[in-house]
Amino acid sequence: MSDFGVLSLLPPLVAIVLCFITKEVVSSLFLGIFIGALLVTHGNVFSAVALSWDWAADVVTDPWNARYFLFIFLMGSGIGLVYKLGGGMALTKKAERRINTSKKGETLGWLMGIIVFFNDYANTAIVGPAIRNLTDKLRISREKLSYLLDSTASPVAGLSPISDWAGYQTNVIRGAMETLGGATIVGATAYTIWLRSIPYMFYCWFAIALVGIIAITHRNFGPMMAHEYRARTTGKLLRDGAKPLSSIETDVGEIITKKLTIWSFILPIATFIGLGLFGLWWTGGGPEAESLTEALGNADVAKALLWAAFGMTLVGIALGIGLKVMSLTEAMDTVINGAKTMLIANAIMLLAWTIKVACDAVGTAPYVINVTLPYVSKAPGLLPVVIFLICMFISFATGTSWGTMGIVTPIALPLTYYAVGQQLNWIVYASVGAVLSGAIFGDHCSPISDTTICSSIFASDDHMDHVTTQMPYAIFAAVVGIIGYLLVLIGFKWYIILPIGIILLYVGSIFLSEWYAKRLRLPEVTPVFTVKE
């Protein structure tokens, strides 16, 4: 890999800036990829075009990626069948007796996001289709739904001791420990270090808490305030001109209302959850794994989710035929039409992963690390803050939280460990927590992040609308997270910092909602919509 210096920042930054300016994600991502290829080919335009498509082809033919693309298509098929059979409508009719206000609907989305803790992709894929009919009826905007999905996906999975994230993070820490000579020198296992870093994953804690505060108080701010006010007062769930990444209603057709039953929702979704969990366990070693955490850490997530989506689709077909509301031909038409709804989503995912290849080729992440970390090694107390900021930037620029963890942890852990005199203390744990939560921040804000794209897909939201409405909330939670690391620096314990952070989030949300209300000339508290009996 050549040393491109500051030019290595061009591919992701050009793509991201153009996404915000043009609102055209596909063309913006391709231009970022092309610039990366142009750097690698030393300005040869024709070679750069060829290299760009070679990178894209490598992404498509990678077994893990190919399974993920198939998973997205099959999820479109499965969700299409559930929609066509009226499963979501039946669920809404059952739930609206108790969940009859927009405030209760948002709170339900927050709680369901916390309950589905074992994988971030599965979180968005399960919660989005489960509550979308209900949130639509409660006039909760698609922008808010995608925020609920995104901000309770990675943060929840990142904090959960029983998730594929726990296993991955532990493996990354274990690899970093090998550069120190192994666990005997560090004096603790990789899993112990990860567990002790959980209280210091401030961004994760505060992002989840902020979702709850916003849901309960209905105090929105930033662009979300206008989108939510539009949805509540007009019933328009998307802005005029929005381009949702999936549109089941348009492509699948009218709902079959002959035999509405909640089982048309429960059975396919239960199949997805059951097969998904089994697949994660089985592909991670199954009965040969020493523990569930180890199995989840070694799991092939794409393969497990592919199995789950296929099972969900089969159950949907069986229900349609078994209830005698669909012929086999009609069921297969729904399968195909449902898959079609995910075509644009998969195209964007392909380009998002390809630009990560371009970033690797020009050395974006190593450049950022080499420029910043060495200058703060002499001030160990500041390391958690600086590491958090570095991971925020890298994950935002590259769109990958796991990639950021894998790149930064092997550098940050040894650097911090030696800076504090080869001992374990709060600085080491806070630094590890800063890597993991900082990586998740950028993953939330970046338009080229796979988790962000997934949230837009399963909320049927315009992707850039999701990015621009979620960003103020993510930045706010990150600022409170930085305050948390500074409080650690001056001696506060984590169990004091977390309540302080939640108070700051609450007070800050009041201030921001008041400020934006005056600026946008809208109510400070978004009106609560109630479904009448």
Side-chain angles (χ1 to χ4, degrees):
M1 181 177 65
S2 302
D3 184 8
F4 294 99
V6 70
L7 293 178
S8 66
L9 300 177
L10 279 178
L13 292 186
V14 166
I16 290 169
V17 170
L18 285 177
C19 280
F20 284 105
I21 294 175
T22 67
K23 307 297 182 182
E24 288 291 337
V25 181
V26 172
S27 57
S28 300
L29 287 175
F30 184 78
L31 187 56
I33 295 164
F34 174 72
I35 288 175
L38 204 61
L39 289 173
V40 172
T41 59
H42 305 289
N44 188 315
V45 175
F46 296 105
S47 296
V49 172
L51 181 59
S52 298
W53 287 112
D54 284 344
W55 283 340
D58 290 339
V59 169
V60 171
T61 55
D62 177 85
W64 196 100
N65 296 343
R67 293 188 189 101
Y68 183 83
F69 291 136
L70 290 173
F71 155 68
I72 291 295
F73 279 130
L74 280 172
M75 278 303 298
S77 298
I79 293 169
L81 286 162
V82 171
Y83 171 81
K84 189 79 173 177
L85 292 170
M89 180 183 288
L91 177 69
T92 299
K93 288 185 176 182
K94 288 281 186 181
E96 68 185 15
R97 298 173 185 174
R98 295 186 177 182
I99 312 298
N100 61 346
T101 68
S102 55
K103 184 177 290 189
K104 291 179 180 178
E106 289 186 25
T107 304
L108 174 67
W110 173 54
L111 294 175
M112 285 189 66
I114 294 173
I115 291 171
V116 185
F117 56 80
F118 56 89
N119 175 263
D120 54 329
Y121 293 155
N123 182 299
T124 58
I126 293 169
V127 180
I131 67 173
R132 193 170 67 208
N133 284 76
L134 181 61
T135 57
D136 284 356
K137 191 157 188 175
L138 294 173
R139 293 192 178 184
I140 296 170
S141 69
R142 293 287 176 80
E143 295 88 354
K144 174 57 73 66
L145 175 58
S146 56
Y147 165 66
L148 293 173
L149 299 182
D150 206 353
S151 290
T152 57
S154 299
V156 170
L159 293 171
S160 172
I162 304 176
S163 70
D164 57 329
W165 283 68
Y168 176 78
Q169 292 166 335
T170 301
N171 287 336
V172 168
I173 293 170
R174 185 178 293 113
M177 290 168 61
E178 291 176 0
T179 66
L180 298 171
T184 54
I185 292 180
V186 176
T189 66
Y191 190 65
T192 300
I193 293 176
W194 177 74
L195 281 176
R196 292 178 179 174
S197 73
I198 289 177
Y200 298 99
M201 297 183 196
F202 292 140
Y203 175 75
C204 297
W205 291 109
F206 296 148
I208 296 168
L210 184 59
V211 175
I213 291 170
I214 298 300
I216 294 170
T217 65
H218 261 35
R219 284 185 173 271
N220 293 286
F221 53 86
M224 186 73 82
M225 176 177 276
H227 286 281
E228 279 287 87
Y229 186 77
R230 176 207 69 228
R232 295 290 195 283
T233 56
T234 70
K236 289 184 178 180
L237 304 173
L238 292 161
R239 66 172 174 82
D240 293 335
K243 300 177 181 178
L245 286 195
S246 65
S247 183
I248 295 292
E249 297 85 351
T250 301
D251 294 309
V252 172
E254 294 183 1
I255 296 172
I256 299 172
T257 57
K258 293 178 183 177
K259 294 182 180 180
L260 285 181
T261 170
I262 196 171
W263 291 106
S264 295
F265 175 86
I266 293 175
L267 290 178
I269 296 298
T271 300
F272 179 84
I273 295 173
L275 280 178
L277 284 170
F278 172 79
L280 289 171
W281 173 73
W282 185 263
T283 60
E288 297 179 3
E290 293 184 4
S291 64
L292 178 60
T293 300
E294 180 184 307
L296 292 173
N298 296 324
D300 186 331
V301 176
K303 183 181 290 186
L305 293 180
L306 178 59
W307 294 353
F310 181 59
M312 176 184 180
T313 302
L314 288 180
V315 170
I317 294 172
L319 280 168
I321 297 173
L323 291 171
K324 298 181 179 180
V325 296
M326 280 184 181
S327 66
L328 178 60
T329 300
E330 290 172 329
M332 293 312 299
D333 285 344
T334 303
V335 168
I336 298 300
N337 290 331
K340 286 179 182 177
T341 66
M342 299 299 182
L343 186 60
I344 295 177
N346 261 341
I348 292 175
M349 189 70 75
L350 165 63
L351 293 174
W353 279 340
T354 304
I355 202 170
K356 292 172 189 175
V357 176
C359 291
D360 290 340
V362 299
T364 303
Y367 169 76
V368 175
I369 293 171
N370 292 335
V371 166
T372 51
L373 273 183
Y375 293 100
V376 296
S377 59
K378 295 182 180 180
L382 291 175
L383 278 169
V385 177
V386 176
I387 290 171
F388 181 67
L389 292 171
I390 290 171
C391 290
M392 287 169 61
F393 181 80
I394 292 175
S395 56
F396 180 78
T398 61
T400 170
S401 51
W402 279 28
T404 301
M405 296 172 195
I407 292 167
V408 179
T409 305
I411 299 172
L413 181 57
L415 177 66
T416 306
Y417 180 67
Y418 286 121
V420 298
Q422 300 186 40
Q423 59 179 337
L424 287 175
N425 59 19
W426 66 265
I427 296 178
V428 175
Y429 301 135
S431 295
V432 173
V435 171
L436 306 181
S437 58
I440 289 175
F441 163 84
D443 202 27
H444 271 169
C445 291
S446 178
I448 62 176
S449 158
D450 48 7
T451 312
T452 304
I453 295 169
C454 275
S455 299
S456 300
I457 292 171
F458 295 115
S460 290
D461 188 21
D462 182 290
H463 183 52
M464 288 309 299
D465 285 348
H466 167 45
V467 172
T468 54
T469 52
Q470 176 167 259
M471 186 171 285
Y473 296 116
I475 292 174
F476 180 33
V479 169
V480 177
I482 292 170
I483 293 173
Y485 290 119
L486 293 175
L487 290 176
V488 171
L489 177 61
I490 61 177
F492 281 70
K493 302 297 184 182
W494 64 264
Y495 49 81
I496 301 296
I497 295 173
L498 291 179
I500 290 176
I502 293 173
I503 292 171
L504 290 175
L505 291 173
Y506 177 73
V507 174
S509 64
I510 294 176
F511 170 79
L512 288 169
S513 64
E514 290 177 351
W515 189 83
Y516 272 97
K518 292 177 182 177
R519 181 182 175 186
L520 300 176
R521 297 182 180 180
L522 293 173
E524 293 177 14
V525 179
T526 303
V528 176
F529 180 79
T530 302
V531 176
K532 297 180 181 179
E533 293 286 342

